[in-house]
Amino acid sequence: MFHWLEKNPFLFSVGVFIVIAFAGLVEILPDFAKASRPIVGLKPYTVLQLAGKEVYKKDNCIACHSQLIRPFKAETDRYGKYSLSGEYAYDRPFLWGSKRTGPDLHRVGNYRTPEWHANHMWDPKSVVPASIMPAYKHQFKNIADLETAYAEAVTVKKVFNTPYGDDIQPGKAAFEKYYKEKALPEALKIAKEMKNKEVLAQVQQGKIPEIVALIAYLERLK
Amino acid sequence: MQSSAALEYDYSVAKLYMWTAVIFGIVGMTIGVLIASQLAFPELNYLFGEYGTFSRLRPLHTNVVIYGFTVSGIFASFYYAAPRVLKVSLGESKLLKGLGYLQFGLYLIAATFLVISLAMGITASKEYAQMEWPLDVLIVVIWVLWGIIMFGLIGMRREKALYISMWYYIATFLGVAMLYLFNNMEVPTVFFSGGLGHWYHSVSMYAGTNDALVQWWWGHNAVAFVFTVPIIAIIYYFLPKESGQAVYSYKLSLLSFWGLMFVYLWAGGHHLLWSTVPDWMQTMGSVFSVVLILPSWGSAINMLLTMKGEWNQLTENPLIKFMVLASTFYMLSTLEGPIQAVKSVNAIAHFTDWIPGHVHDGVLGWVAFMIFASMMHAAPRVFKREIYSKSLLEAQFWIQTTGVVLYFTSMWIAGITQGMMWRAVDEYGNLMYSFIDTVSVLHPYYTIRAIGGLLYLIGVFMFAYNFFMTATAGRKLEQEPQFRSPMA
């Protein structure tokens, strides 16, 4: 029946490719323009928050925590309003996760304080005694990579028209100006709320530990 | 040119991939047992400081097992079986053989950098596509080289019609190429920011819901084109060869091949049920997942019926045991998947341990069993030695089977318990449990899972020892065995 096709590797391969590509065309293309529109009032991440997002990715919080509240009563009771597509318009990549070994974090900024986050990352058992989460003490020592985060902001502004202000410009000088005038004050505010003296001292010296950036990002999730 | 009757096959590249499969199998599955144990005993998180936390090791486990062990096993089977069904040796073309070495070398470099970068936390964060853009480029090169070698061999073939296994290898090549390219579309930030930040950093081309769509279109179909399609290629060659039986039905293999190709890619949407992707797409993912049972069971039944009238081999030959049980696990897994893709079931199953449970009955019971069996079938032909120990192979089979059963049963119970507890409400409509209650209740199941994983790992060590001894100390064979592999 199909013997002739099996003797023509080229036609065979073309046939296979068409058959497998078909589903992707139908499912993915139609929705592309529509789904990425931001909800009203959504602002892009600040550079400090982007740096925090990098920490979230680096220490792979996504392995245990989701950022997607499904439209069930049990979930909205537990975590808050269910998630909408437009809330993720500036998420590159998306961080929904696929497994909840710990709770969902999509609206964690609504019900946890910077101080709670700091204690939680230093020693999870101090705030949740039965927690099986490892401690992330190294985040208090490692310095956040704001330059890469800034590079990301510049890139998405240029390539995807993400609405950043004029303070986001390419080049080393623009970054240093932004760092001093915008990122440091933002970090200082978080560090004060964390109530950790060493972290505060670091930020006052002009260095931002990973934990400060991470909390800036988590605070933004609401 | 050699005459096809006296064809000497060149196994140089196949051998290399066999050894990397053994090594990455041990490494990847050891990390797997460690992270499974960390969930039951969190103190184990601090063995290697920052680099030893569950979160860092988890992608290391998945990537080493998928791209290290499984892909090595697939390439090993390809470089062994494809020349045989095409009746052409890799050694007949200096160019293709050279490219084979090059492909292996680049593969090893990519795998090494993947391990280092993940341990350091350098990640694009998309599951099973964590590599940053420089590694992505390298992987594309490796893949293209494989394509050149495959079509090169096909061009030189002496067998006119392509055997079923070749259909599946071609599909693997095309499917992964398409999916990988589209999912890994990234914008390197270094080119747009005036050289700021790390040069390897990138931003995804897609945002939010679109990114999720593309990611799970890849994520699900990577399962198709890494865990299903090439493994079917393996069973279609190695089971008939080992048992000396012809494939049961040509029509069934046609039907299941084209059915699988057409249906599989629709099903990715089932990873995004109840999320913010459009409803019609969720429904499509759900429906096609159920339809997927047909082509999947088609191949599995075709394989099982290949043993028709020869079931006695099952009691005598451990390799047949591995392959027949693998087919059965494939049926189990492809029934379980569609059940989880039903929207109401998914509401409970999603985000729970039932999902890793499902993945593991597939990968441990189907994928890894087939890779072990194919490598052991190939070993006497490649090394021209008898398999070192039949009783070790028997013991491995039973220990690993026990391991898989402990793994998936504990995870079924854990997942359903977790899902039910999350949604439980009291008579006033208030949530009955806080999240941490659902974590504590899982402790015994996490412990059982770790034990199951450990048993499986012990089996991997037995396999590695048996394989090594076969290659070095097995009794020399005068001539190549026709069907059943000789074992001491």
PDB file of all heavy atoms in Angstrom, chain A residues 21-38:
ATOM      1  N   ALA A  21       4.000  18.933  11.514  1.00  0.00           N
ATOM      2  CA  ALA A  21       3.970  20.391  11.656  1.00  0.00           C
ATOM      3  C   ALA A  21       2.545  20.935  11.698  1.00  0.00           C
ATOM      4  O   ALA A  21       2.289  22.027  12.207  1.00  0.00           O
ATOM      5  CB  ALA A  21       4.738  21.047  10.511  1.00  0.00           C
ATOM      6  N   PHE A  22       1.612  20.140  11.191  1.00  0.00           N
ATOM      7  CA  PHE A  22       0.230  20.586  11.039  1.00  0.00           C
ATOM      8  C   PHE A  22      -0.395  21.089  12.347  1.00  0.00           C
ATOM      9  O   PHE A  22      -0.929  22.190  12.428  1.00  0.00           O
ATOM     10  CB  PHE A  22      -0.580  19.412  10.472  1.00  0.00           C
ATOM     11  CG  PHE A  22      -1.972  19.769  10.089  1.00  0.00           C
ATOM     12  CD1 PHE A  22      -2.201  20.661   9.058  1.00  0.00           C
ATOM     13  CD2 PHE A  22      -3.057  19.219  10.756  1.00  0.00           C
ATOM     14  CE1 PHE A  22      -3.490  21.005   8.695  1.00  0.00           C
ATOM     15  CE2 PHE A  22      -4.352  19.552  10.401  1.00  0.00           C
ATOM     16  CZ  PHE A  22      -4.558  20.451   9.368  1.00  0.00           C
ATOM     17  N   ALA A  23      -0.244  20.279  13.410  1.00  0.00           N
ATOM     18  CA  ALA A  23      -0.860  20.632  14.687  1.00  0.00           C
ATOM     19  C   ALA A  23      -0.315  21.950  15.221  1.00  0.00           C
ATOM     20  O   ALA A  23      -1.063  22.787  15.736  1.00  0.00           O
ATOM     21  CB  ALA A  23      -0.629  19.521  15.698  1.00  0.00           C
ATOM     22  N   GLY A  24       0.977  22.152  15.080  1.00  0.00           N
ATOM     23  CA  GLY A  24       1.590  23.376  15.579  1.00  0.00           C
ATOM     24  C   GLY A  24       1.018  24.599  14.887  1.00  0.00           C
ATOM     25  O   GLY A  24       0.699  25.605  15.513  1.00  0.00           O
ATOM     26  N   LEU A  25       0.854  24.490  13.572  1.00  0.00           N
ATOM     27  CA  LEU A  25       0.308  25.612  12.804  1.00  0.00           C
ATOM     28  C   LEU A  25      -1.083  25.984  13.293  1.00  0.00           C
ATOM     29  O   LEU A  25      -1.388  27.138  13.520  1.00  0.00           O
ATOM     30  CB  LEU A  25       0.239  25.242  11.321  1.00  0.00           C
ATOM     31  CG  LEU A  25       1.569  25.229  10.596  1.00  0.00           C
ATOM     32  CD1 LEU A  25       1.385  24.745   9.167  1.00  0.00           C
ATOM     33  CD2 LEU A  25       2.176  26.633  10.591  1.00  0.00           C
ATOM     34  N   VAL A  26      -1.925  24.961  13.465  1.00  0.00           N
ATOM     35  CA  VAL A  26      -3.311  25.227  13.850  1.00  0.00           C
ATOM     36  C   VAL A  26      -3.397  25.757  15.277  1.00  0.00           C
ATOM     37  O   VAL A  26      -4.149  26.675  15.575  1.00  0.00           O
ATOM     38  CB  VAL A  26      -4.159  23.948  13.714  1.00  0.00           C
ATOM     39  CG1 VAL A  26      -5.574  24.194  14.202  1.00  0.00           C
ATOM     40  CG2 VAL A  26      -4.162  23.480  12.276  1.00  0.00           C
ATOM     41  N   GLU A  27      -2.602  25.187  16.170  1.00  0.00           N
ATOM     42  CA  GLU A  27      -2.779  25.530  17.571  1.00  0.00           C
ATOM     43  C   GLU A  27      -2.055  26.803  17.995  1.00  0.00           C
ATOM     44  O   GLU A  27      -2.552  27.555  18.818  1.00  0.00           O
ATOM     45  CB  GLU A  27      -2.288  24.379  18.457  1.00  0.00           C
ATOM     46  CG  GLU A  27      -3.283  23.241  18.519  1.00  0.00           C
ATOM     47  CD  GLU A  27      -3.026  22.319  19.700  1.00  0.00           C
ATOM     48  OE1 GLU A  27      -1.883  22.272  20.171  1.00  0.00           O
ATOM     49  OE2 GLU A  27      -3.981  21.663  20.140  1.00  0.00           O
ATOM     50  N   ILE A  28      -0.871  27.002  17.438  1.00  0.00           N
ATOM     51  CA  ILE A  28      -0.053  28.064  18.021  1.00  0.00           C
ATOM     52  C   ILE A  28      -0.232  29.404  17.325  1.00  0.00           C
ATOM     53  O   ILE A  28      -0.407  30.425  17.968  1.00  0.00           O
ATOM     54  CB  ILE A  28       1.427  27.633  18.048  1.00  0.00           C
ATOM     55  CG1 ILE A  28       1.546  26.490  19.064  1.00  0.00           C
ATOM     56  CG2 ILE A  28       2.325  28.780  18.432  1.00  0.00           C
ATOM     57  CD1 ILE A  28       2.918  25.967  19.232  1.00  0.00           C
ATOM     58  N   LEU A  29      -0.257  29.388  15.998  1.00  0.00           N
ATOM     59  CA  LEU A  29      -0.255  30.664  15.296  1.00  0.00           C
ATOM     60  C   LEU A  29      -1.440  31.594  15.594  1.00  0.00           C
ATOM     61  O   LEU A  29      -1.230  32.766  15.852  1.00  0.00           O
ATOM     62  CB  LEU A  29      -0.115  30.432  13.786  1.00  0.00           C
ATOM     63  CG  LEU A  29       1.283  29.987  13.362  1.00  0.00           C
ATOM     64  CD1 LEU A  29       1.368  29.871  11.852  1.00  0.00           C
ATOM     65  CD2 LEU A  29       2.358  30.948  13.873  1.00  0.00           C
ATOM     66  N   PRO A  30      -2.684  31.081  15.601  1.00  0.00           N
ATOM     67  CA  PRO A  30      -3.801  32.019  15.707  1.00  0.00           C
ATOM     68  C   PRO A  30      -3.786  32.868  16.973  1.00  0.00           C
ATOM     69  O   PRO A  30      -4.286  33.984  16.986  1.00  0.00           O
ATOM     70  CB  PRO A  30      -5.040  31.118  15.715  1.00  0.00           C
ATOM     71  CG  PRO A  30      -4.607  29.807  15.260  1.00  0.00           C
ATOM     72  CD  PRO A  30      -3.146  29.699  15.508  1.00  0.00           C
ATOM     73  N   ASP A  31      -3.187  32.358  18.031  1.00  0.00           N
ATOM     74  CA  ASP A  31      -3.322  33.061  19.293  1.00  0.00           C
ATOM     75  C   ASP A  31      -2.198  34.038  19.574  1.00  0.00           C
ATOM     76  O   ASP A  31      -2.222  34.749  20.561  1.00  0.00           O
ATOM     77  CB  ASP A  31      -3.394  32.033  20.420  1.00  0.00           C
ATOM     78  CG  ASP A  31      -4.179  32.610  21.577  1.00  0.00           C
ATOM     79  OD1 ASP A  31      -5.328  33.026  21.343  1.00  0.00           O
ATOM     80  OD2 ASP A  31      -3.639  32.685  22.685  1.00  0.00           O
ATOM     81  N   PHE A  32      -1.214  34.064  18.696  1.00  0.00           N
ATOM     82  CA  PHE A  32      -0.010  34.778  19.068  1.00  0.00           C
ATOM     83  C   PHE A  32      -0.174  36.266  19.298  1.00  0.00           C
ATOM     84  O   PHE A  32       0.354  36.814  20.243  1.00  0.00           O
ATOM     85  CB  PHE A  32       1.088  34.503  18.046  1.00  0.00           C
ATOM     86  CG  PHE A  32       2.135  33.658  18.653  1.00  0.00           C
ATOM     87  CD1 PHE A  32       1.771  32.467  19.249  1.00  0.00           C
ATOM     88  CD2 PHE A  32       3.450  34.065  18.721  1.00  0.00           C
ATOM     89  CE1 PHE A  32       2.712  31.680  19.869  1.00  0.00           C
ATOM     90  CE2 PHE A  32       4.395  33.282  19.328  1.00  0.00           C
ATOM     91  CZ  PHE A  32       4.037  32.089  19.904  1.00  0.00           C
ATOM     92  N   ALA A  33      -0.899  36.923  18.462  1.00  0.00           N
ATOM     93  CA  ALA A  33      -1.025  38.368  18.594  1.00  0.00           C
ATOM     94  C   ALA A  33      -1.856  38.731  19.816  1.00  0.00           C
ATOM     95  O   ALA A  33      -1.591  39.693  20.516  1.00  0.00           O
ATOM     96  CB  ALA A  33      -1.673  38.932  17.343  1.00  0.00           C
ATOM     97  N   LYS A  34      -2.848  37.908  20.080  1.00  0.00           N
ATOM     98  CA  LYS A  34      -3.848  38.247  21.076  1.00  0.00           C
ATOM     99  C   LYS A  34      -3.354  38.103  22.516  1.00  0.00           C
ATOM    100  O   LYS A  34      -3.572  38.968  23.351  1.00  0.00           O
ATOM    101  CB  LYS A  34      -5.048  37.317  20.849  1.00  0.00           C
ATOM    102  CG  LYS A  34      -6.362  37.907  21.244  1.00  0.00           C
ATOM    103  CD  LYS A  34      -7.506  37.068  20.697  1.00  0.00           C
ATOM    104  CE  LYS A  34      -7.394  35.620  21.143  1.00  0.00           C
ATOM    105  NZ  LYS A  34      -8.424  34.768  20.563  1.00  0.00           N
ATOM    106  N   ALA A  35      -2.689  36.983  22.792  1.00  0.00           N
ATOM    107  CA  ALA A  35      -2.503  36.595  24.183  1.00  0.00           C
ATOM    108  C   ALA A  35      -1.482  37.418  24.947  1.00  0.00           C
ATOM    109  O   ALA A  35      -1.411  37.341  26.150  1.00  0.00           O
ATOM    110  CB  ALA A  35      -2.132  35.122  24.251  1.00  0.00           C
ATOM    111  N   SER A  36      -0.681  38.223  24.248  1.00  0.00           N
ATOM    112  CA  SER A  36       0.379  38.887  24.984  1.00  0.00           C
ATOM    113  C   SER A  36       0.047  40.328  25.380  1.00  0.00           C
ATOM    114  O   SER A  36       0.902  41.070  25.812  1.00  0.00           O
ATOM    115  CB  SER A  36       1.663  38.856  24.163  1.00  0.00           C
ATOM    116  OG  SER A  36       1.434  39.440  22.914  1.00  0.00           O
ATOM    117  N   ARG A  37      -1.194  40.735  25.232  1.00  0.00           N
ATOM    118  CA  ARG A  37      -1.542  42.106  25.609  1.00  0.00           C
ATOM    119  C   ARG A  37      -1.569  42.268  27.118  1.00  0.00           C
ATOM    120  O   ARG A  37      -2.213  41.511  27.822  1.00  0.00           O
ATOM    121  CB  ARG A  37      -2.930  42.460  25.069  1.00  0.00           C
ATOM    122  CG  ARG A  37      -2.887  42.882  23.638  1.00  0.00           C
ATOM    123  CD  ARG A  37      -4.242  43.350  23.191  1.00  0.00           C
ATOM    124  NE  ARG A  37      -4.376  43.111  21.759  1.00  0.00           N
ATOM    125  CZ  ARG A  37      -5.536  42.969  21.146  1.00  0.00           C
ATOM    126  NH1 ARG A  37      -6.657  43.005  21.829  1.00  0.00           N
ATOM    127  NH2 ARG A  37      -5.571  42.771  19.845  1.00  0.00           N
ATOM    128  N   PRO A  38      -0.872  43.300  27.629  1.00  0.00           N
ATOM    129  CA  PRO A  38      -0.864  43.499  29.079  1.00  0.00           C
ATOM    130  C   PRO A  38      -2.221  43.974  29.606  1.00  0.00           C
ATOM    131  O   PRO A  38      -2.962  44.647  28.886  1.00  0.00           O
ATOM    132  CB  PRO A  38       0.197  44.588  29.266  1.00  0.00           C
ATOM    133  CG  PRO A  38       0.351  45.250  27.952  1.00  0.00           C
ATOM    134  CD  PRO A  38      -0.032  44.268  26.905  1.00  0.00           C
TER     135      PRO A  38
END
